Amino acid sequence: MNIIVCVKHVPDTEAVIKPHPDGSGIALEGSNYVLNPYDEYAVEEAIRIKEANADATITVITVGPDDATKSLRTAIAMGADDAIHLNDPAFLETDSQGIATILAAAIRPLPYDLILCGKQAVDNDCAQVGAALAELLGIPGISVITELSVETGKATAHRELEGATEIIECTLPALFTAQKGLNEPRYPALPMIMKAKRKEIKTLDASALGLSPGDFAPRSRRLKVSSPPPRQAGRVLEGKVSEVVTEVVRLIREEAKIL
Amino acid sequence: MELVKQTIGAASTYVILYVAFAVALLLFIRGARSKMSVVQRGTPEGRTDRVRERITGLLRYVLFQGRLFKYPAAGLMHVLIFWGFLVFALGYAFIIFTGGEIQGRLSGIGGGALSGIYGTFQEIFGILVVVSVIIAAIRRHILKIQRLEINRDADTTLLLIFLIMASHFVVQALGIRLGEKLHGWTPLSQVLSGTMAGMSPAGAANLAVVLWWAHMFLIFGFLVYLPRSKHLHILFGPFNVYFRSLRPAGELPLIDIENAESFGAEKIEDYTWKSLFDLLSCAECGRCQDHCPAYATEKPLSPKRLLIDLKHELFESATGGDREADPLAGRTIEEDAIWACTTCRACQEQCPIFIEHTDKLMELRRYLTLMQGRFPSEATAAFKSLETNYNPWPIGWSERAAWAEDLDLRKLDEGEETDVLLWIGCAGAFDDRNKKVARALVGLLRKAGVDVAFLGTDEKCCGDPARRLGNEYLYQTLARENVETLKSRKFRRIVTACPHCLNTLAAEYPQLGGEFHVVHAMELLDELLRTGSLKPAGTVSATVSFHDSCYLGRYNNIYDAPRRVLDAIPGVTLKEMKKNRSSSFCCGAGGGRMWLEENIGTRINHARIEQAAEVGPDIVASGCPYCLTMFEDGIKEKEMSENLRALDVIELLDQSVGKT
Ligand code: SF4
Ligand code: SF4
């Protein structure tokens, strides 16, 4: 079985996020980059499937700048077999649709039964690449899964919905995007980390993929990024219980406008 | 012995004696060698340096039994049995090497004074040994002291010693009965001989001869038995003291990550020979267990059991079988036990023969973490945060200097110079409660006119949490970066309020080429008070109990400085807890436990808070951010906030100095 996991190198979630004053983007100088947490679930799931199927191989793929290899190595240290780095300065200017196009171009020539992605990247939170990629490859795409079982030729996945669980069966090959709860990603063992450090990573640029800039040109454009309004300090209401309750109800009605 | 020679002839006496001795010696050597071969399965480790220090240790801790007196009654008993053993051993050495009894050999010297002294010593120690052996038996079997377990080998040893002594006294008494003049003061032998008045001289002589042989054969038997018993401490204990660790207390062995193929202890042979030697030397006295905070709060860890279980594994694995498949961790030693240790070092501080428990547990953690990636799940968050944000809290690294934003504290950049470099530590930088301590410290140093700067966001976690949770790789990554940073700055000394940082920087960074002069804030404040740079004028009326943090006290021997600082504050009355100084009881946060849940048994911090409450202070003061956090939580959870507060000594001093 051939499993492909698509991952992204993203700023660490604890990084302090500040938009550029001109609203053109986000200043990320102070942040370290890590393997996208949702992609970690995807990698972990792939490894678990591999542990149950001796003949399975796992290939991780990313589109990203030079240092994105760090996240590929994290995935290898966890247990992935091979890694492909799609790296071209031109790739950095595109949008989700463009990324999916680039990934599709890389994946098409490869044998695959299963493609796993994180449900979204924690930086831009677009949650589009997985779905778009399934569409481009013409295979079933099941998003936001919390459980997955794979048999020959088919797979069953659980999706956590508001107050319900949806169980979906589909034929393989298929693409799934991982939600938190799918598994508990492992912490890589040191011998694996050392091995991953030395692992050769295949790098492909646009021309190697047979893509011209027009193929992955962004079709959407970011206009402005700004901070949310600062949160107001909490208020403590004091006094008799009945008064406090009346006041709370008033505040909910008039200020929060929830009721 | 003269009587024996008269009865069966001198020649046959010597033949029997020396043949029996030779056989016993041979069997002894064989036994000891087979035990040694088991120890040799361990990995190499150098323990033969600093010979003078090692010999001094032998005198202090073996001859004078230095550590045994931490338990006065048991210590006295042990010392008497041990010295009695030495006195008697000297006598036997004379018989073997000179062919005659010691008193006879010595009687020519000093007009018989020497033999008289020996005779008196022998008698007194003989009596004391008998009494001690009886008390020991009572403690084991009637009082059933909890730290001692019933152990057949211990009983056999006691019985043998008793029989040896009994036969000795009866032979002495029979000698008197037969008109022999004993050397020195021999009250018990005299009294005993009085009971034999009715015995015929011939009968007495025969009995004396038989018992003399019995006595000698018991001695030889003891020699043969020793290396075969599981109670080997008599034999190995002194060597264990000799080969004790002389490394800094807080320095874990460094792993050569690039070249090692496996990490930590998977199998028993992965331990060093000295670690295995420890297993054979343990006397199973239970002192370590008695002081273990994990054991005291119903965790599945006892340092004594750890030793015993590993010893069994050592012997069982030596007999082969298909045991190799499973690692020690999880099979021989429960994983929960491995993670329960706070590395408080109370066990090692107590052990009379310097057994090293914590390293054994650390090697198991290293195996689990580095080889298996298996550890309590809470540690994952701490590890990941350490990797990306260089602190175990999940807070972005760029926030590290935020606590000092309004303090105008100088950031020491590459190439710059300061007198004191303040090492804040993650707690001081990221934990709201401990930020206050850090700010108070800065205030005090400024008032004292100290030239002080800090590294701002260039400081990273010292690595202690990672190292103590078995993650040597992560530790070395952080530590090497810090060493680089520190080397690129100029300063006279580093000061930190965190004993864990202190220990790592002072005791562990030298392994990575970082030799810095590091002191704890308590030491610097103590110095500033002594020189008059700080004047605590304001009164702080409070009864204060000082809690000795493990990494401040047991690890780095700083016991007096914080007490002197407290003493200098007008109005403060110091009230010691029962467990103080080197017997202090851990707060529960060391060894990376700060980052793990404590969901087995009762909580260690609650136990310590209760111990503090026993002596009724208003404030429990400490010199460690972890302790402060644990106590604050403990006081809240036990709903004791009305009567008890937790403060850092720095804060108390700041209150006093600030009032001027
Ligand atoms: S390790 Fe030391 S303190 Fe613990 S039981 Fe053995 S000899 Fe006693
Ligand atoms: S270091 Fe402390 S917690 Fe660990 S075994 Fe020893 S006494 Fe127990």
Side-chain angles (χ1 to χ4, degrees), chain B residues 282-288 304 307 351-353 355 357:
Chain B
C282 173
E284 300 180 18
C285 71
R287 288 159 190 245
C288 49
K304 169 178 145 183
L307 271 283
C351 181
I353 50 178
I355 279 171
H357 311 73

Side-chain angles (χ1 to χ4, degrees), chain B residues 184-205:
Chain B
W185 182 60
T186 53
L188 180 62
S189 307
Q190 302 286 357
V191 170
L192 267 181
S193 84
T195 66
M196 297 168 179
M199 213 180 268
S200 74

Side-chain angles (χ1 to χ4, degrees), chain A residues 12 30 32 34 40 187 190, chain B residues 370 384 387-390 397 471:
Chain A
D12 162 53
N32 285 319
V34 295
E40 259 185 61
Y187 190 83
L190 184 50
Chain B
L370 299 177
K384 289 202 169 167
E387 281 166 9
T388 42
N389 288 307
Y390 324 124
W397 67 271
N471 199 337

Side-chain angles (χ1 to χ4, degrees), chain A residues 12 14-16 29-34 40 70 185-191 193-194 197, chain B residues 257-258 263 370-371 373 375 383-384 387-390 394-399 471 473-474:
Chain A
D12 162 53
E14 303 308 330
V16 181
E29 289 80 41
S31 33
N32 285 319
Y33 280 64
V34 295
E40 259 185 61
K70 192 180 152 224
R186 71 195 58 202
Y187 190 83
L190 184 50
I193 296 176
M194 303 308 275
K197 273 190 181 178
Chain B
I257 289 176
E258 293 299 326
F263 308 97
L370 299 177
M371 296 300 286
F375 38 74
F383 286 161
K384 289 202 169 167
E387 281 166 9
T388 42
N389 288 307
Y390 324 124
I395 302 178
W397 67 271
S398 53
E399 294 295 290
N471 199 337
Y473 177 65
L474 181 51

Side-chain angles (χ1 to χ4, degrees), chain B residues 288 291-294 301 303 340-348 357-358 361:
Chain B
C288 49
H291 282 77
C292 175
L301 168 67
C341 177
T342 67
T343 69
C344 76
R345 213 181 145 77
C347 48
Q348 291 189 209
H357 311 73
T358 40
L361 288 163

